mmCIF file of all heavy atoms in Angstrom:
data_model
loop_
_atom_site.group_PDB
_atom_site.id
_atom_site.type_symbol
_atom_site.label_atom_id
_atom_site.label_comp_id
_atom_site.label_asym_id
_atom_site.label_seq_id
_atom_site.Cartn_x
_atom_site.Cartn_y
_atom_site.Cartn_z
ATOM 1 N N LEU A 723 76.592 -37.652 -5.734
ATOM 2 C CA LEU A 723 75.785 -38.798 -5.212
ATOM 3 C C LEU A 723 74.859 -39.441 -6.308
ATOM 4 O O LEU A 723 74.119 -40.330 -6.061
ATOM 5 C CB LEU A 723 74.916 -38.397 -4.031
ATOM 6 C CG LEU A 723 75.688 -37.971 -2.770
ATOM 7 C CD1 LEU A 723 74.715 -37.412 -1.688
ATOM 8 C CD2 LEU A 723 76.481 -39.149 -2.197
ATOM 9 N N ILE A 724 75.006 -38.946 -7.558
ATOM 10 C CA ILE A 724 74.261 -39.480 -8.695
ATOM 11 C C ILE A 724 75.193 -40.371 -9.514
ATOM 12 O O ILE A 724 76.249 -39.855 -9.963
ATOM 13 C CB ILE A 724 73.745 -38.395 -9.555
ATOM 14 C CG1 ILE A 724 72.799 -37.467 -8.691
ATOM 15 C CG2 ILE A 724 72.845 -39.000 -10.681
ATOM 16 C CD1 ILE A 724 72.277 -36.253 -9.463
ATOM 17 N N GLY A 725 74.942 -41.582 -9.596
ATOM 18 C CA GLY A 725 75.749 -42.458 -10.431
ATOM 19 C C GLY A 725 75.397 -43.964 -10.112
ATOM 20 O O GLY A 725 74.414 -44.210 -9.374
ATOM 21 N N ASN A 726 76.018 -44.880 -10.755
ATOM 22 C CA ASN A 726 75.583 -46.317 -10.721
ATOM 23 C C ASN A 726 76.518 -47.098 -9.789
ATOM 24 O O ASN A 726 76.417 -48.340 -9.847
ATOM 25 C CB ASN A 726 75.776 -46.882 -12.161
ATOM 26 C CG ASN A 726 74.825 -46.157 -13.112
ATOM 27 O OD1 ASN A 726 73.721 -45.568 -12.657
ATOM 28 N ND2 ASN A 726 75.184 -46.066 -14.403
ATOM 29 N N GLY A 727 77.364 -46.488 -8.987
ATOM 30 C CA GLY A 727 78.164 -47.257 -8.045
ATOM 31 C C GLY A 727 77.490 -47.427 -6.743
ATOM 32 O O GLY A 727 76.493 -46.821 -6.410
ATOM 33 N N LYS A 728 78.111 -48.135 -5.815
ATOM 34 C CA LYS A 728 77.630 -48.500 -4.539
ATOM 35 C C LYS A 728 77.592 -47.192 -3.613
ATOM 36 O O LYS A 728 76.839 -47.096 -2.647
ATOM 37 C CB LYS A 728 78.448 -49.594 -3.838
ATOM 38 C CG LYS A 728 78.232 -50.950 -4.466
ATOM 39 C CD LYS A 728 78.983 -52.009 -3.713
ATOM 40 C CE LYS A 728 78.771 -53.435 -4.325
ATOM 41 N NZ LYS A 728 79.465 -54.503 -3.557
ATOM 42 N N ARG A 729 78.562 -46.329 -3.858
ATOM 43 C CA ARG A 729 78.584 -45.131 -3.030
ATOM 44 C C ARG A 729 77.538 -44.082 -3.413
ATOM 45 O O ARG A 729 77.426 -43.038 -2.746
ATOM 46 C CB ARG A 729 80.050 -44.522 -3.080
ATOM 47 C CG ARG A 729 80.380 -43.930 -4.476
ATOM 48 C CD ARG A 729 81.762 -43.419 -4.531
ATOM 49 N NE ARG A 729 82.145 -42.801 -5.798
ATOM 50 C CZ ARG A 729 81.752 -41.607 -6.155
ATOM 51 N NH1 ARG A 729 81.190 -40.783 -5.323
ATOM 52 N NH2 ARG A 729 82.186 -41.130 -7.394
ATOM 53 N N HIS A 730 76.923 -44.264 -4.533
ATOM 54 C CA HIS A 730 75.914 -43.321 -5.025
ATOM 55 C C HIS A 730 74.518 -43.544 -4.385
ATOM 56 O O HIS A 730 74.142 -44.721 -4.092
ATOM 57 C CB HIS A 730 75.850 -43.376 -6.543
ATOM 58 C CG HIS A 730 77.113 -42.987 -7.265
ATOM 59 N ND1 HIS A 730 77.834 -43.833 -7.986
ATOM 60 C CD2 HIS A 730 77.827 -41.763 -7.266
ATOM 61 C CE1 HIS A 730 78.937 -43.249 -8.423
ATOM 62 N NE2 HIS A 730 78.917 -42.023 -8.003
ATOM 63 N N LEU A 731 73.745 -42.432 -4.216
ATOM 64 C CA LEU A 731 72.431 -42.614 -3.686
ATOM 65 C C LEU A 731 71.364 -42.882 -4.764
ATOM 66 O O LEU A 731 70.471 -43.717 -4.567
ATOM 67 C CB LEU A 731 72.072 -41.259 -2.950
ATOM 68 C CG LEU A 731 70.726 -41.245 -2.262
ATOM 69 C CD1 LEU A 731 70.699 -42.299 -1.115
ATOM 70 C CD2 LEU A 731 70.350 -39.893 -1.767
ATOM 71 N N VAL A 732 71.527 -42.211 -5.937
ATOM 72 C CA VAL A 732 70.545 -42.399 -6.966
ATOM 73 C C VAL A 732 71.304 -42.732 -8.288
ATOM 74 O O VAL A 732 72.276 -42.085 -8.615
ATOM 75 C CB VAL A 732 69.774 -41.083 -7.237
ATOM 76 C CG1 VAL A 732 68.711 -41.194 -8.313
ATOM 77 C CG2 VAL A 732 69.009 -40.724 -5.898
ATOM 78 N N PRO A 733 70.773 -43.735 -9.094
ATOM 79 C CA PRO A 733 71.504 -44.064 -10.296
ATOM 80 C C PRO A 733 71.256 -43.062 -11.395
ATOM 81 O O PRO A 733 70.274 -42.351 -11.330
ATOM 82 C CB PRO A 733 70.922 -45.474 -10.690
ATOM 83 C CG PRO A 733 69.661 -45.459 -10.020
ATOM 84 C CD PRO A 733 69.741 -44.625 -8.725
ATOM 85 N N ARG A 734 72.085 -43.076 -12.466
ATOM 86 C CA ARG A 734 71.802 -42.223 -13.561
ATOM 87 C C ARG A 734 70.793 -42.699 -14.490
ATOM 88 O O ARG A 734 70.064 -41.911 -15.112
ATOM 89 C CB ARG A 734 73.041 -41.979 -14.395
ATOM 90 C CG ARG A 734 74.149 -41.315 -13.532
ATOM 91 C CD ARG A 734 75.386 -40.976 -14.393
ATOM 92 N NE ARG A 734 76.539 -40.419 -13.650
ATOM 93 C CZ ARG A 734 76.639 -39.170 -13.349
ATOM 94 N NH1 ARG A 734 75.571 -38.310 -13.722
ATOM 95 N NH2 ARG A 734 77.550 -38.656 -12.641
ATOM 96 N N TYR A 735 70.538 -43.978 -14.625
ATOM 97 C CA TYR A 735 69.578 -44.591 -15.558
ATOM 98 C C TYR A 735 68.273 -44.499 -14.899
ATOM 99 O O TYR A 735 68.067 -44.425 -13.698
ATOM 100 C CB TYR A 735 69.937 -46.025 -15.909
ATOM 101 C CG TYR A 735 69.868 -46.979 -14.756
ATOM 102 C CD1 TYR A 735 68.655 -47.642 -14.439
ATOM 103 C CD2 TYR A 735 70.868 -47.257 -13.884
ATOM 104 C CE1 TYR A 735 68.525 -48.536 -13.452
ATOM 105 C CE2 TYR A 735 70.824 -48.119 -12.848
ATOM 106 C CZ TYR A 735 69.523 -48.827 -12.584
ATOM 107 O OH TYR A 735 69.517 -49.643 -11.503
ATOM 108 N N GLN A 736 67.182 -44.572 -15.782
ATOM 109 C CA GLN A 736 65.827 -44.588 -15.344
ATOM 110 C C GLN A 736 65.062 -45.700 -15.961
ATOM 111 O O GLN A 736 64.898 -45.784 -17.161
ATOM 112 C CB GLN A 736 65.101 -43.263 -15.673
ATOM 113 C CG GLN A 736 63.692 -43.103 -15.152
ATOM 114 C CD GLN A 736 63.639 -42.922 -13.567
ATOM 115 O OE1 GLN A 736 64.545 -42.266 -12.989
ATOM 116 N NE2 GLN A 736 62.754 -43.501 -12.924
ATOM 117 N N PRO A 737 64.551 -46.734 -15.203
ATOM 118 C CA PRO A 737 63.802 -47.841 -15.805
ATOM 119 C C PRO A 737 62.535 -47.299 -16.500
ATOM 120 O O PRO A 737 61.891 -46.361 -16.110
ATOM 121 C CB PRO A 737 63.386 -48.707 -14.548
ATOM 122 C CG PRO A 737 64.373 -48.223 -13.526
ATOM 123 C CD PRO A 737 64.684 -46.864 -13.770
ATOM 124 N N GLY A 738 62.280 -48.005 -17.669
ATOM 125 C CA GLY A 738 61.158 -47.552 -18.461
ATOM 126 C C GLY A 738 59.823 -47.631 -17.694
ATOM 127 O O GLY A 738 59.603 -48.545 -16.920
ATOM 128 N N GLY A 739 58.955 -46.664 -17.872
ATOM 129 C CA GLY A 739 57.676 -46.601 -17.244
ATOM 130 C C GLY A 739 57.631 -46.198 -15.816
ATOM 131 O O GLY A 739 56.597 -46.305 -15.048
ATOM 132 N N THR A 740 58.807 -45.631 -15.303
ATOM 133 C CA THR A 740 58.874 -45.097 -13.953
ATOM 134 C C THR A 740 59.239 -43.676 -13.885
ATOM 135 O O THR A 740 59.732 -43.104 -14.959
ATOM 136 C CB THR A 740 59.845 -45.906 -13.155
ATOM 137 O OG1 THR A 740 61.186 -45.661 -13.670
ATOM 138 C CG2 THR A 740 59.562 -47.419 -13.084
ATOM 139 N N GLY A 741 59.119 -43.053 -12.811
ATOM 140 C CA GLY A 741 59.636 -41.634 -12.603
ATOM 141 C C GLY A 741 58.681 -40.575 -12.964
ATOM 142 O O GLY A 741 59.021 -39.411 -12.988
ATOM 143 N N ARG A 742 57.421 -40.901 -13.220
ATOM 144 C CA ARG A 742 56.483 -39.901 -13.599
ATOM 145 C C ARG A 742 55.483 -39.443 -12.464
ATOM 146 O O ARG A 742 54.891 -38.443 -12.490
ATOM 147 C CB ARG A 742 55.590 -40.364 -14.778
ATOM 148 C CG ARG A 742 56.433 -40.494 -16.062
ATOM 149 C CD ARG A 742 55.595 -41.147 -17.175
ATOM 150 N NE ARG A 742 55.292 -42.483 -16.914
ATOM 151 C CZ ARG A 742 54.637 -43.376 -17.667
ATOM 152 N NH1 ARG A 742 54.190 -42.898 -18.849
ATOM 153 N NH2 ARG A 742 54.402 -44.590 -17.354
ATOM 154 N N GLY A 743 55.392 -40.344 -11.402
ATOM 155 C CA GLY A 743 54.474 -40.001 -10.368
ATOM 156 C C GLY A 743 55.023 -38.983 -9.377
ATOM 157 O O GLY A 743 54.274 -38.270 -8.838
ATOM 158 N N GLY A 744 56.382 -39.124 -9.089
ATOM 159 C CA GLY A 744 56.991 -38.194 -8.190
ATOM 160 C C GLY A 744 56.694 -38.501 -6.698
ATOM 161 O O GLY A 744 57.330 -37.974 -5.785
ATOM 162 N N GLU A 745 55.730 -39.473 -6.437
ATOM 163 C CA GLU A 745 55.447 -39.711 -5.068
ATOM 164 C C GLU A 745 55.652 -41.142 -4.679
ATOM 165 O O GLU A 745 55.517 -41.586 -3.530
ATOM 166 C CB GLU A 745 53.981 -39.339 -4.715
ATOM 167 C CG GLU A 745 53.645 -39.566 -3.207
ATOM 168 C CD GLU A 745 52.861 -38.484 -2.670
ATOM 169 O OE1 GLU A 745 52.565 -37.439 -3.308
ATOM 170 O OE2 GLU A 745 52.550 -38.471 -1.443
ATOM 171 N N GLY A 746 55.929 -41.967 -5.667
ATOM 172 C CA GLY A 746 56.052 -43.395 -5.335
ATOM 173 C C GLY A 746 54.779 -44.189 -5.677
ATOM 174 O O GLY A 746 53.715 -43.678 -5.560
ATOM 175 N N ARG A 747 54.954 -45.409 -6.051
ATOM 176 C CA ARG A 747 53.820 -46.228 -6.568
ATOM 177 C C ARG A 747 52.940 -46.524 -5.307
ATOM 178 O O ARG A 747 51.771 -46.808 -5.495
ATOM 179 C CB ARG A 747 54.345 -47.476 -7.242
ATOM 180 C CG ARG A 747 54.954 -47.233 -8.553
ATOM 181 C CD ARG A 747 55.698 -48.415 -8.982
ATOM 182 N NE ARG A 747 56.907 -48.591 -8.277
ATOM 183 C CZ ARG A 747 57.788 -49.606 -8.549
ATOM 184 N NH1 ARG A 747 57.656 -50.405 -9.501
ATOM 185 N NH2 ARG A 747 58.900 -49.649 -7.793
ATOM 186 N N ARG A 748 53.449 -46.580 -4.157
ATOM 187 C CA ARG A 748 52.683 -47.015 -3.002
ATOM 188 C C ARG A 748 51.785 -45.933 -2.491
ATOM 189 O O ARG A 748 50.775 -46.204 -1.835
ATOM 190 C CB ARG A 748 53.518 -47.566 -1.918
ATOM 191 C CG ARG A 748 54.436 -48.717 -2.364
ATOM 192 C CD ARG A 748 55.213 -49.199 -1.139
ATOM 193 N NE ARG A 748 56.114 -50.347 -1.533
ATOM 194 C CZ ARG A 748 55.716 -51.562 -1.437
ATOM 195 N NH1 ARG A 748 54.499 -51.877 -0.967
ATOM 196 N NH2 ARG A 748 56.552 -52.562 -1.798
ATOM 197 N N GLY A 749 52.102 -44.680 -2.742
ATOM 198 C CA GLY A 749 51.318 -43.632 -2.164
ATOM 199 C C GLY A 749 51.583 -43.385 -0.787
ATOM 200 O O GLY A 749 52.358 -44.125 -0.126
ATOM 201 N N PRO A 750 50.985 -42.357 -0.151
ATOM 202 C CA PRO A 750 51.235 -42.050 1.230
ATOM 203 C C PRO A 750 50.598 -43.230 2.170
ATOM 204 O O PRO A 750 49.592 -43.859 1.884
ATOM 205 C CB PRO A 750 50.408 -40.758 1.416
ATOM 206 C CG PRO A 750 49.459 -40.758 0.344
ATOM 207 C CD PRO A 750 50.039 -41.396 -0.780
ATOM 208 N N ALA A 751 51.326 -43.413 3.224
ATOM 209 C CA ALA A 751 50.892 -44.536 4.140
ATOM 210 C C ALA A 751 49.934 -43.891 5.159
ATOM 211 O O ALA A 751 49.993 -42.669 5.407
ATOM 212 C CB ALA A 751 52.037 -45.025 4.913
ATOM 213 N N PRO A 752 48.900 -44.681 5.604
ATOM 214 C CA PRO A 752 47.967 -44.252 6.675
ATOM 215 C C PRO A 752 48.784 -43.940 7.949
ATOM 216 O O PRO A 752 49.780 -44.544 8.294
ATOM 217 C CB PRO A 752 47.127 -45.423 6.856
ATOM 218 C CG PRO A 752 47.874 -46.594 6.382
ATOM 219 C CD PRO A 752 48.650 -46.131 5.283
ATOM 220 N N ALA A 753 48.288 -42.917 8.674
ATOM 221 C CA ALA A 753 48.905 -42.447 9.947
ATOM 222 C C ALA A 753 48.693 -43.543 10.969
ATOM 223 O O ALA A 753 47.672 -44.090 11.097
ATOM 224 C CB ALA A 753 48.409 -41.055 10.324
ATOM 225 N N ARG A 754 49.672 -43.693 11.865
ATOM 226 C CA ARG A 754 49.545 -44.565 12.981
ATOM 227 C C ARG A 754 49.072 -43.729 14.188
ATOM 228 O O ARG A 754 49.329 -42.583 14.285
ATOM 229 C CB ARG A 754 50.931 -45.227 13.301
ATOM 230 C CG ARG A 754 51.383 -46.141 12.225
ATOM 231 C CD ARG A 754 52.620 -46.865 12.667
ATOM 232 N NE ARG A 754 53.727 -45.885 12.850
ATOM 233 C CZ ARG A 754 54.259 -45.736 14.010
ATOM 234 N NH1 ARG A 754 53.814 -46.327 15.093
ATOM 235 N NH2 ARG A 754 55.223 -44.843 14.156
ATOM 236 N N LYS A 755 48.362 -44.491 15.093
ATOM 237 C CA LYS A 755 47.836 -43.782 16.202
ATOM 238 C C LYS A 755 48.893 -43.153 17.039
ATOM 239 O O LYS A 755 49.813 -43.728 17.425
ATOM 240 C CB LYS A 755 47.001 -44.725 17.045
ATOM 241 C CG LYS A 755 46.330 -44.143 18.284
ATOM 242 C CD LYS A 755 45.516 -45.171 19.102
ATOM 243 C CE LYS A 755 44.965 -44.571 20.303
ATOM 244 N NZ LYS A 755 44.322 -45.538 21.159
ATOM 245 N N GLY A 756 48.669 -41.826 17.384
ATOM 246 C CA GLY A 756 49.512 -41.130 18.306
ATOM 247 C C GLY A 756 50.732 -40.536 17.720
ATOM 248 O O GLY A 756 51.168 -39.424 18.133
ATOM 249 N N ARG A 757 51.384 -41.205 16.645
ATOM 250 C CA ARG A 757 52.559 -40.666 16.113
ATOM 251 C C ARG A 757 52.760 -41.114 14.567
ATOM 252 O O ARG A 757 52.460 -42.317 14.322
ATOM 253 C CB ARG A 757 53.771 -41.061 16.954
ATOM 254 C CG ARG A 757 55.044 -40.808 16.360
ATOM 255 C CD ARG A 757 56.234 -41.199 17.270
ATOM 256 N NE ARG A 757 55.995 -42.401 17.921
ATOM 257 C CZ ARG A 757 56.210 -43.591 17.353
ATOM 258 N NH1 ARG A 757 56.612 -43.630 16.061
ATOM 259 N NH2 ARG A 757 55.998 -44.698 18.012
ATOM 260 N N PRO A 758 53.145 -40.250 13.722
ATOM 261 C CA PRO A 758 53.384 -40.701 12.309
ATOM 262 C C PRO A 758 54.671 -41.557 12.152
ATOM 263 O O PRO A 758 55.532 -41.350 13.022
ATOM 264 C CB PRO A 758 53.387 -39.382 11.527
ATOM 265 C CG PRO A 758 53.770 -38.445 12.525
ATOM 266 C CD PRO A 758 53.306 -38.938 13.805
#
Side-chain angles (χ1 to χ4, degrees):
L723 295 175
I724 303 173
N726 301 328
K728 290 185 177 180
R729 66 181 181 86
H730 298 112
L731 183 67
V732 180
R734 296 187 184 278
Y735 67 90
Q736 185 69 36
T740 64
R742 291 173 294 183
E745 181 137 3
R747 289 166 289 183
R748 298 178 183 270
R754 296 183 296 114
K755 181 181 178 182
R757 170 175 42 78

